[in-house]
Amino acid sequence: PMNATEAGDVLATINATLNATSGIALGVGYYFIRRKVIDSHRRAMLTAVGASALFLCFYVTRVALTGTHDFAGQGLARNVYLAILFSHMVLAVVVLPFVLRLLYLVRHGRFEEHKRLARFVFPVWAYVSATGLIVYLLLYQVYGYA
């Protein structure tokens, strides 16, 4: 059987995959909406939402199992990591209600409002997905944690 640390490391890998999935789905959704292929855009965006929702569930589970980790890198690497982590965390919290608003607007057929808001939300959400993957790589694959 896996101990809590091993389970947490597996969940971290799953979360990195979910972040990557969300980021790719966002890009695919952007591609389709630019070409006005609405059904494909909707499927891609729901994939991004689903991957992000699963990420949140698994992230909370991982933190409950293992707590937070101290980055093992030092000097410039540590400063870069912390800057990326801080921006990732703040923007992840900020973007969530806006993603929910986008879903609400679509559900209620308010497509022009959705379009206007999505222009601001999309790059933030894409940044959060990309930096989530970078945080994982730095913390679990490159420098490790203490």
Side-chain angles (χ1 to χ4, degrees):
M2 258 190 262
N3 65 34
T5 300
E6 292 166 337
D9 288 352
V10 168
L11 285 172
T13 302
I14 291 169
N15 278 339
T17 303
L18 290 168
N19 264 323
T21 300
S22 180
I24 291 166
L26 286 169
V28 169
Y30 179 81
Y31 172 86
F32 283 125
I33 201 60
R34 298 299 294 169
R35 281 148 189 81
K36 300 187 183 341
V37 185
I38 305 301
D39 285 343
S40 296
H41 168 74
R42 181 175 24 87
R43 281 193 296 276
M45 299 314 291
L46 289 174
T47 298
V49 169
S52 294
L54 280 173
F55 166 86
L56 184 57
C57 294
F58 290 151
Y59 177 78
V60 169
T61 302
R62 189 203 57 76
V63 170
L65 284 172
T66 66
T68 58
H69 299 309
D70 290 327
F71 182 69
Q74 298 297 317
L76 179 62
R78 181 176 182 78
N79 292 336
V80 168
Y81 169 81
L82 291 174
I84 293 169
L85 177 63
F86 180 75
S87 67
H88 169 78
M89 289 170 43
V90 168
L91 291 174
V93 169
V94 167
V95 81
L96 176 60
F98 290 104
V99 169
L100 296 175
R101 177 73 176 162
L102 288 170
L103 291 170
Y104 173 86
L105 291 172
V106 165
R107 181 79 172 103
H108 291 87
R110 294 162 60 181
F111 301 112
E112 283 305 313
E113 289 175 79
H114 173 88
K115 181 179 176 180
R116 281 194 303 274
L117 182 58
R119 288 185 176 157
F120 296 99
V121 175
F122 169 77
V124 176
W125 191 0
Y127 177 85
V128 168
S129 293
T131 54
L133 186 56
I134 292 167
V135 164
Y136 165 79
L137 291 172
L138 291 174
L139 185 61
Y140 286 89
Q141 302 300 320
V142 178
Y143 291 97
Y145 59 87

